[in-house]
Amino acid sequence: MTEQKKSSDSGKTDYKNIIVTKIANPKGLEVGKIQINRPDVLNALNIELMGELLTALRAFDKDSNVGCIIITGNQKAFAAGADIKEMSSASAIEMYIRDQFATWDNIRKIKKPIIAAVSGFALGGGCELSMTCDMIVAAEGAKFGQPEIKLGVIPGAGGTQRLTRAVGKAKAMEMILTGRMYSAKELCDAGLINRVTPDELYLEEAEGMAKEIASMPSVAVQIAKESILKSFDTTIEGGLEFERRSFYLLFASEDMKEGMNAFIEKRPASWKGK
Ligand code: CAA
């Protein structure tokens, strides 16, 4: 049970390339859902779409009614990569000035947890986008890969870094140097994917997981996410120090008092989101 709701608004709705909705959650905060919507080009990620995606993510991040976010595509494609047609004629200096992948770095700054719900192709930038999310739920028919090598380039939105951290050097080398596609099951076994479902159930599974997270005390959820992500760019000592201070910080939250009192009084906690 939760009271951690306030009136707020997730901002604009006139997006061209994404569909933004909210899913009700009787047990907690709502789930914000962003569906990538360029089906004619297998959800290829162009600059406009990525700008919209970031705007929608930031709006959900500020919306105190939302506790967790899902990014999804359609049955055929999560996203088949960055938009090749948009990039193909650019010069190196144009790419440098556009710096289009810098937008992607900002997704990392979203405080609320993001789940990628993947069906169909998650290739190149699509695979990288799923890895930029915090968790991945995939349909068993989903195909992941980093095929950039076949275009004469390399992954440019985190593939060489995030994939390597998730699946290890040997597997990342194989994936990036061959450009092959891999099944969700193989990459689940390799540690990239949280859960593989029958094809028709991936969204339901992702929504269930998102609702469960959105029913937890939101400040602790966000601080836990921040602390886990810290482990990617610090030493173990620095990370442990960050975790410890974050743990102590949560003793300033009303939800910490409520959570511990509710346990002792043997009753369900009622979260305030403070
Ligand atoms: N960019 C632009 N358009 C794309 C696209 C992409 N990444 N992927 C697919 N499309 C378009 C196709 O051009 C085609 O459009 P038309 O109907 O106008 O010809 C439409 O989507 C359907 O695609 P296909 O006909 O190719 O569909 P298919 O089922 O035969 O093949 C596929 C599916 C294997 C995914 C194939 O489309 C493909 O190989 N796509 C490109 C994958 C890729 O190389 N991704 C990496 C991009 S670079 C990148 O992402 C850089 C980075 O690190 C961020």
Side-chain angles (χ1 to χ4, degrees):
M1 293 298 288
T2 186
E3 291 170 13
Q4 56 181 0
K5 295 188 183 187
K6 284 183 195 157
S7 66
S8 61
D9 171 10
S10 283
K12 62 177 260 175
T13 50
D14 55 334
Y15 297 109
K16 284 196 210 147
N17 306 282
I18 56 173
I19 298 168
V20 177
T21 48
K22 289 206 268 182
I23 303 166
N25 177 22
K27 291 196 175 148
L29 295 176
E30 294 166 326
V31 172
K33 183 171 152 201
I34 303 172
Q35 184 184 1
I36 303 168
N37 189 36
R38 294 186 78 209
D40 294 349
V41 287
L42 300 178
N43 286 342
L45 303 167
N46 64 7
I47 295 171
E48 184 179 57
L49 186 155
M50 290 308 296
E52 290 183 354
L53 181 65
L54 188 60
T55 303
L57 285 169
R58 283 178 169 156
F60 280 147
D61 217 23
K62 282 202 198 118
D63 185 338
S64 55
N65 282 326
V66 169
C68 190
I69 303 166
I70 292 175
I71 300 179
T72 193
N74 56 46
Q75 296 245 296
K76 199 160 177 212
F78 177 72
D83 192 321
I84 298 170
K85 290 164 197 163
E86 187 179 62
M87 286 186 298
S88 61
S89 58
S91 69
I93 299 303
E94 277 163 352
M95 288 301 283
Y96 176 77
I97 291 168
R98 274 185 203 174
D99 200 11
Q100 68 191 73
F101 298 142
T103 310
W104 299 52
D105 287 342
N106 291 316
I107 297 174
R108 234 181 135 231
K109 297 183 187 140
I110 300 297
K111 290 184 171 167
K112 290 178 185 164
I114 309 173
I115 300 176
V118 177
S119 175
F121 297 112
L123 302 176
C127 186
E128 288 167 303
L129 178 60
S130 73
M131 291 190 284
T132 310
C133 298
D134 301 306
M135 285 161 276
I136 303 176
V137 173
E140 61 193 348
K143 296 268 175 243
F144 290 77
Q146 296 290 161
E148 291 90 343
I149 201 81
K150 296 179 179 173
L151 301 169
V153 286
I154 65 168
T160 62
Q161 304 304 303
R162 291 201 179 93
L163 189 61
T164 308
R165 281 167 166 81
V167 303
K169 175 186 152 192
K171 190 84 185 167
M173 283 281 183
E174 178 191 312
M175 287 180 71
I176 291 170
L177 301 186
T178 67
R180 279 185 207 158
M181 288 192 222
Y182 293 79
S183 71
K185 162 129 190 14
E186 186 167 352
L187 292 182
C188 191
D189 293 346
L192 184 73
I193 293 171
N194 292 69
R195 206 153 292 196
V196 181
T197 71
D199 282 343
E200 64 284 7
L201 293 181
Y202 73 102
L203 210 44
E204 202 176 301
E205 178 70 28
E207 286 179 11
M209 198 186 276
K211 283 181 185 171
E212 197 174 333
I213 293 167
S215 306
M216 298 297 158
S218 60
V219 180
V221 165
Q222 291 175 43
I223 290 182
K225 166 172 168 165
E226 193 183 3
S227 196
I228 293 166
L229 290 182
K230 196 76 184 169
S231 71
F232 285 98
D233 32 58
T234 189
T235 59
I236 183 77
E237 232 172 77
L240 289 170
E241 176 72 18
F242 185 86
E243 179 194 77
R244 206 155 43 235
R245 283 171 187 268
S246 301
F247 183 84
Y248 298 153
L249 175 66
L250 283 166
F251 280 66
S253 74
E254 291 182 28
D255 283 342
M256 169 267 156
K257 304 271 182 294
E258 169 62 10
M260 294 201 184
N261 284 336
F263 174 80
I264 292 163
E265 292 160 16
K266 301 188 188 299
R267 60 170 174 82
S270 175
W271 307 123
K272 301 266 186 302
K274 290 191 242 176

